[in-house]
Structure formats: structure tokens, C-alpha cells
Amino acid sequence: MIKDVQKQRDLRNIPIQKVGVKGVEIPLEIERKSKDGLEKIVYAKADMSVDLPAHFKGTHMSRFIEILNDYRRECLKSDDIEKILFEMKKRLEANSAYLKFSFKYFLPKTAPVSKKTSLMCYDCAFVGEVDQNCNFKFYLTAKVPVTTLCPCSKEISSYGAHNQRALVKLKVSYDNDKHIWLEDLIEIIESSSSSEIYPLLKREDEKFVTEQAYENPKFVEDIIRDVVSGLEKNEIINFYEIEVEAFESIHSHNAWAYQKNQKG
Amino acid sequence: MIKDVQKQRDLRNIPIQKVGVKGVEIPLEIERKSKDGLEKIVYAKADMSVDLPAHFKGTHMSRFIEILNDYRRECLKSDDIEKILFEMKKRLEANSAYLKFSFKYFLPKTAPVSKKTSLMCYDCAFVGEVDQNCNFKFYLTAKVPVTTLCPCSKEISSYGAHNQRALVKLKVSYDNDKHIWLEDLIEIIESSSSSEIYPLLKREDEKFVTEQAYENPKFVEDIIRDVVSGLEKNEIINFYEIEVEAFESIHSHNAWAYQKNQKG
Amino acid sequence: MIKDVQKQRDLRNIPIQKVGVKGVEIPLEIERKSKDGLEKIVYAKADMSVDLPAHFKGTHMSRFIEILNDYRRECLKSDDIEKILFEMKKRLEANSAYLKFSFKYFLPKTAPVSKKTSLMCYDCAFVGEVDQNCNFKFYLTAKVPVTTLCPCSKEISSYGAHNQRALVKLKVSYDNDKHIWLEDLIEIIESSSSSEIYPLLKREDEKFVTEQAYENPKFVEDIIRDVVSGLEKNEIINFYEIEVEAFESIHSHNAWAYQKNQKG
Amino acid sequence: MIKDVQKQRDLRNIPIQKVGVKGVEIPLEIERKSKDGLEKIVYAKADMSVDLPAHFKGTHMSRFIEILNDYRRECLKSDDIEKILFEMKKRLEANSAYLKFSFKYFLPKTAPVSKKTSLMCYDCAFVGEVDQNCNFKFYLTAKVPVTTLCPCSKEISSYGAHNQRALVKLKVSYDNDKHIWLEDLIEIIESSSSSEIYPLLKREDEKFVTEQAYENPKFVEDIIRDVVSGLEKNEIINFYEIEVEAFESIHSHNAWAYQKNQKG
């Protein structure tokens, strides 16, 4: 029989908080209820870890992959995240477990005037944790590209105003028995920007978004405040973390704002 | 006179925790006392931010760059970080300030047998914070590439053992009136690995490091525990955060371990 | 009616070789015949460009997205690439067209001893070009991670040998009326390495791959020569370009080899 | 004596075009004559390769690092590139050699109205090649961030126009006995854009660049044509390759244009 080195007794007396695998690429089928029906996520990048009690020398890393393989065969629902975490605790003889599935999420987007529809891609993730007391915590993350148009530039210039692509990153958690749609988070962010971003715009749409952004100037400070307002109105959200980074068209560095709030 | 849009009154009543600039590339001259004398850091990437009180609409981002320019002209010492932070608070009318200078740090490295010396590059950073009570906190970060050789693979195989490049990321803080060398942090990490990494190895050195790694097998779990032991021995360190990520030669995903400790 | 600025006459008399869109994320359904049946690729990143004759001021970029949208609705077959290119030429009034679809390609991989199967991910692409004479050229690209074990380190050391993850990038073209499987290209590369890489290895498999790599030492030079040999045996291949980059476990820089051959 | 594995006879009869090291980080001191005097480049990333004749099994990779170390001690002048290449050919017993030094290049930039000066960073490189007939070829590369403002958006909108950061990448070669300044290449690119980018702009400058960009709308097609015009006027340039990529503020994909010309 082949020796189990990982299971050997470790004498340093140091428990490790997180140990696991990073960047596992896997064609997961996650079935996600979307507002318009069912969406299937079919590719994910997985990070998985558990704690390691002081007396074990190492974690059995191949078991993370085996668990992924088991769950990959059936179509995952989003509440399977919790099941996977408890499976990780059990099969890895651990007290706590952490999991992140990062994926591309596509939503149909209708151009404002031509009404042409195309698919917009958002980098999203499901993050789950189970602690030593078996408390489950679930997070949604979304990265949403938007347009920002500088209020100062508009105010002081005789014509025009510098504008640019910006990226808003949001992470939220909410009461376990409730539900929040990725669509709703994305909508809060897009409605807080100078203008939304679209994959496909015809000339009449381009006129519309150009004028809309000009009428609606926003600093990164304005966006983060409006996103905060939007999130604060939602009573089931108990944690959020926001970053806004604008790739300034007049500089080669970026403008950046950050806010984090743990309620209750 | 040109209107100051940023200074306008904001009515949303939301103070922002951090707002500023990211990725400013600047040829800073930071004079760093090294164990062997003086080292000059001559290029840095700067991230700078302050809080924004609820009543202001925006931050004056150009002032961050002006402050960098003022300090760039003279040669910075590492305790100038605190001065810059207070300057940021003052000129931006803020309560708190945050700063990160990321840079390449080169140390001479002598090959173990041939004794040939070359320069090893480490990605390091100085991070500083001043809070609303004027408390100053300073952090050092270092990313150190090392070799890990798998104890399980060695134990179960008749010959050979898989090994790989790994990256150890460390962030520490320590008592303000004391000093820790980047050299010492790097030494703790390198001595915790299966073998150090060198820019230049002749054949006799390659034989040495190959055999040394084989005699010294380490999981990412072993490395993080040994780094923790090393840091715990140092009484002036009051915070550390460690990540070890091994780019497994037998997988396309990575093995990863994480530990964080805030003392006192 | 809204003015068509792009269609205006340009007087600089400079035709542009390539102009288009980069990094379009799209949930394409590409049906790919694989050796074991049909595989569906369901996410791609698209780069698309055409030439721009001297007399036009600009290209109508939104049409690239419209073409993608049209083809997205039906399931693409790999010979639809040519159709899309001719559609691009027509709708953009261009002489030549270029297209790249980059995607994750998953293949089942059976561990050598335990016979456990998991899915291995490869970054692949379809590249197509149509020139002004309507000649169509098709390229396949694949990035394949492998293990390399250093022959010098093995030879000179009393025990062990440094090894590491390496990435082999391959681009090939072949006679239009013939077919080459991505699977075959990947097989040529993996069989040229010290050992293949697997997502899931149990202890008995880890013993196998460790010993196999040790028995089979290879420089990046050896890998590139063996891949060249494998490709030269295939008579329908008329172009190849290979890069091998090994993330050396004993250095923080990489070893690299490159070869390109245009036949006939 | 330790065996020289690399020098062993290889029987596959396949010469390799390029083999070497990638991503060597080194604090090179390159003394570069600039238009205003002398500039010192003090950090570089080096890629170095040679061909490998069919009869050798491998290249002696450590010699690349030794050559870098030898030249690092003295201050490099830009014509030392040729010397290093011939040294590479000699010490590695090769027929051809290739070298790339990538570095950050800083130039003082004066804001258009306030006349405040700050330092702008450009990613540049020196590339050199010596072929089997001892012909030396030298290339300069520069990546220059600029602002582009969309002519279509301006024309069709009642007010405003979308604009964004864009990156222009240029590679040129020129007659060996002549000289071209990086400053001149950067100037051709910046003067071809809607507006230059600055690290530091006060309000009066922001008004200036906003209005300048609005008065000066440019597609990526316009920029590449104007850069081509600028380069064609310079008679000593015998090769150029240009890429313009605009990070569209209204889309999450990029607009892109490409041109390459080998004269004579």
C-alpha cells in the first residue's frame, strides 16, 4: 500500500487557515434562475480551500477535484454551493471550507433606440464559506463595465467633456433565506453610471448614449455613492464591498473609489 | 475664475472610505538602508487615496500627483512615507490617507558552489496608512519565488519527485519605533522553502540546488508553517498575512495556502 | 437621416491593412467534431478585422457584432468560419478579412493507473483569413501545459532532478480539403514532453508520472525538436509555429524555444 | 568533472531557430542620449536567444545571464546592443542572436496652460538581431497612451462625443548609420491623436485638453493613417509596424487598427 504522507502527524502545532487549489478550469453546468427563466453557466474557474488542523501534515488536494467531478455530472443549482462546501468539510476532514466559482455571465441587452438585442458579458462569481460552527455564508460578485463622464471637465469646458470606460466591482452578501438576482446588482450599477455599455450600438443608439452620458456627468465618487444608496435600500443585503476604477482618457493612471460595509 | 466642481456641497450624506489614484508610474528615488549599505529604488508604481467627507462632491485628484512630484525631487527615505501621508491629509482636506509604493527590489545573490554573484529581483512594496486619529501604520510586502519539492511524490516514487516554482507573498507590520529589513523577511521565506531560486547557476550549483531540494521536500503547508514559525519568533511583528502558491508541475492548477494573524 | 461619417471620402490615400474589433466576448455555440463524437464550444472571445480601402474614412465596427449575432443563433460548424469571413468582406465592403475565435477546449483525460477520468482544459483558437484574391486560409492554435524535467540536472545530481510546468503554444495550417483534429495536435505535444499534465491524479498516478518524468528528461530544445518531428510526419500540414516556455523551478526567468516553418 | 549534457551530439538533425531565456529582470544601466541630454534607464526586462545548430543537444542558458552581468557593471550605451549580440554569438557558439530589453522610459511633460511639469512614463524597448551573415538590425519600440474622440459620435450628437484612452504600439527600424530618438517617435504618435495624455493636469489644463480633443476627433483609422504619414516622411526609417487599440468608453470590446511596412 502506498504511504499517505499528508495524513502524517505534524509536530509544529500550527493549524492553517486555508489550504487548497487555485485556478481549476472546469466546464461546470450551473443552472441559474434568471429573471427571464433559466440560464446555464457552462464554464467556471474554481478556487477551493479548507482549514488544516494542526496535527495533519497536509491536505489531500486531489479530493477537491473529485468533488468538482462528482457535482459536474449533474446540473448544479445555486444552492448546491452549500452542499459542496459540506462535502468538502467531510471528505477533507476539515472544520471550515471556502469556495469560489468565477464565470462569464451573459445577459441580453437591447440598444436604446434601434432596439437591436445583443449579449453583454459580465465577470461574476459565487463565493461560499462554511465556518467551524457550520454557519454558511454566500456572496455574489459582479464586475460591470460602464461609462463615466467627468463633471468637472463638462463644467469648465466650452464644449465636450472627457469620458471613459470604468469598471465597477461589487461583492454582496444577504440573508440566507432570501434571494438576490445578479440582474438586480448589475442594474443598480448600470443605473448609477453616466451611461451603460452595450455590445452593439447603431448610429441612432450611439447618438443616444453620447448625449445621455453628457447629460449625466459622474465622478467615480458619484458612482460609488449612488451604488451605496441603491444597496442600502435593499434590506436583505447585510454586507457589501464596492470598487470603482475609471480608465481616465486624459491620464494613464486610473481614478479609484472604494467602500465596504458590514451590517448588523 | 474656473469653477471648483469637486468642492461643491454633496447632499447624499455618504462619506467615502477611500478615493484616489491607481497605477501612477513614477521614477521615485527611495533611499533604502539595506544591510550592506544604501540601496536606491528608482522606479515605483503608486496607489494613493484619502477618505472623502460626506459634504464634498469630489477629491482633487491632481493633488496626489503634485505631492508625488514634490517628494520625487528629493531622495525619499523610508520614514518619509509618514510625512507624505500627512501631506496628503492636509492638502486634500481629508481625515485619513493610504499609500502604496510598489517597486522592484534587487539583492545580490551568491550561487552556492561557484560563488558567482548575480542580482535577484523581488517585487516589494511600502504601504502606509494614517487614520482619523493620526495613527500611522506601516507595512512591508515582498513576493519571493522559491522551489517546492513534493514530499508525497518523493516518498511514493522509486526515483525523482515533482517540484516547481512557487510564489510566497508576505505582508507584515511591526512596532513603529522598530525596524525590519526586507532582507530579513526574504531570508525567512527562502530558508523555509525546498530550495532558494537564483538568477545564475553554473552546473556545480545546479547539482547543489537539485540535491538540496530533494533532501528538503515541502508542501505549501510546510512552507507556510515554517514562515509562520519564523515570523512568530520576531517579537516586534504585530501583523502578518502570508500566501503560498505553487505552480504544480503535474497539474495546470495551483496548490495554495493562506494565513493571517493580527496580534495584540 | 443620420450622417454616415465612416463612409466619407478620405484624402490621405492610405489603405489600412487591418481594422476591426478586439476582445468581443460572446457565447458562441461552435459544434466541433471531436474524435469521440461532437463537442460544443459555448464561449469564445472574438477578434475580427478587415482591410480598409484608401477612399473610406472608417470601418462600420457595429457590423462585426451584427455578423457575430447572426451566426450565434445557429450552431456554428468549423467550416462556417469561411462563410463568416466572406460575409465580413461583403457587409464591410472590404477586400480581405481576418477572424480569431479563442476558446476553452475540454478533453476527458484518464489518469494512468487509477483510470479516473477528469476534464483537461486547453486554450485553443480557430483563426481564418480571406485575402483580396478570395483565398481562404485556416489555422488551428493550441496551448498545452506539460511537465519538463531537466536532463542536465538529472545527469549531474546524485538524486532528484529539477522539473516544472511548461507551456507549449502551437499554430498550424493545413491543406483546405483535409482535416486535422485538435486532439491530434495536443497528442503530438503531450507525447513530446517529460510527462503529460492531468487535472486529477491519485497517489498511484502521482508515483507513475513522477517516475515517468524522471525516466524521460527533456530540455525545451528536446520538446521543440520532437514536436517538429511529429508535425513533419504529417503531410497535409503546410505551416507551423511553435513556442515552448518552461517556468524553471530553479530560476525566476523562463527557458524558451521557438520554431516556424512555412512549407511549399 | 561534471558532464556537459548540453554539448552532447544530437541526432535528430533539427537546427532550432531561437532558444534562450525570457523575462530576466535586471537593473541595467543604459545610458540613452535624449534630446535634452542624457537619460539613464535603470531597470529592464531582458529576452535573449540564439539559434542552436542541429548537432548540439542544448544551449548553455546560464551564459546569457553571465553576459548580462558583465555588461551590467558598466553603463551601457545604445550601440552596446550590437556588441552584446556578437558576444552572445561567440560565447554560445551560435550563428545568430536576438535580444530585447524592455524598460520604462520617462519624459518630462509640461501641462498646456498651467505649464506644470511632471514625468510621463512610456513602455519602450530596444530590440537587436544579428543573423548568420553578421548583419545587425536594430529596432525601437514604444507604447504611447493617447486620447481618441469619436468623429461619428461628435457629428451625430447634439452635444458631447464619446472619447477614451487608447494605446498606440510602434516598432521601427532604420538605417544603421543613422539615429532616431524615442522622443521623435512619441511625438509623431501624440501629435496624431485627438489629445495627448498627461500625468498632471490642473483645471485650466483639463479645459484645454477637453476642448482640444473635441476639436480634433479621430477614429483609430485616422490615428494610424496620421502615424503612417509621419513615419513615411522620415527617409531613414526602413521598417515600421503600428497597432492602435482604443478602449471604447461605450463598449467593453476595443477598436483596433494595424499596419506594417517593410521598405526596400
Side-chain angles (χ1 to χ4, degrees), chain B residues 147 153 156-159 161-163 165 198-199 203 206-207 210-211 214-215 248-251 253-254, chain C residues 147 153 156 158-159 161-163 165 198-199 203 206-207 210-211 214-215 247-251 253-254:
Chain B
T147 305
S153 170
I156 65 182
S157 304
S158 308
Y159 33 80
H162 78 81
N163 52 75
R165 198 190 294 168
Y198 298 82
R203 273 204 299 281
E206 188 171 355
K207 174 178 165 59
T210 301
E211 294 173 358
Y214 192 79
E215 287 160 3
E248 300 292 286
S249 63
I250 61 170
H251 295 303
H253 58 260
N254 302 333
Chain C
T147 305
S153 170
I156 65 181
S158 307
Y159 33 80
H162 78 82
N163 52 76
R165 198 190 294 167
Y198 298 81
R203 273 205 297 284
E206 188 172 356
K207 175 179 163 62
T210 301
E211 294 173 359
Y214 192 78
E215 287 161 3
F247 310 108
E248 301 292 286
S249 63
I250 60 170
H251 296 304
H253 58 260
N254 302 334

Side-chain angles (χ1 to χ4, degrees), chain B residues 32 41 45 47 98-105 121-128 138-144 168-174 180-186 189 231 239-243:
Chain B
R32 174 158 173 86
I41 292 152
K45 192 167 272 197
D47 299 333
Y98 170 92
L99 165 63
K100 180 176 185 179
F101 288 151
S102 307
F103 52 85
K104 304 279 180 188
Y105 192 57
C121 179
Y122 303 93
D123 286 311
C124 295
F126 296 152
V127 178
F138 181 72
Y139 299 87
L140 283 179
T141 82
K143 296 182 187 170
V144 180
V168 185
K169 298 183 196 172
L170 176 59
K171 183 178 183 180
V172 304
S173 189
Y174 49 90
I180 286 188
W181 305 102
L182 274 173
E183 284 84 336
D184 289 336
L185 297 179
I186 291 167
I189 292 168
L231 296 171
F239 168 87
Y240 60 80
E241 187 175 20
I242 317 165
E243 267 187 81

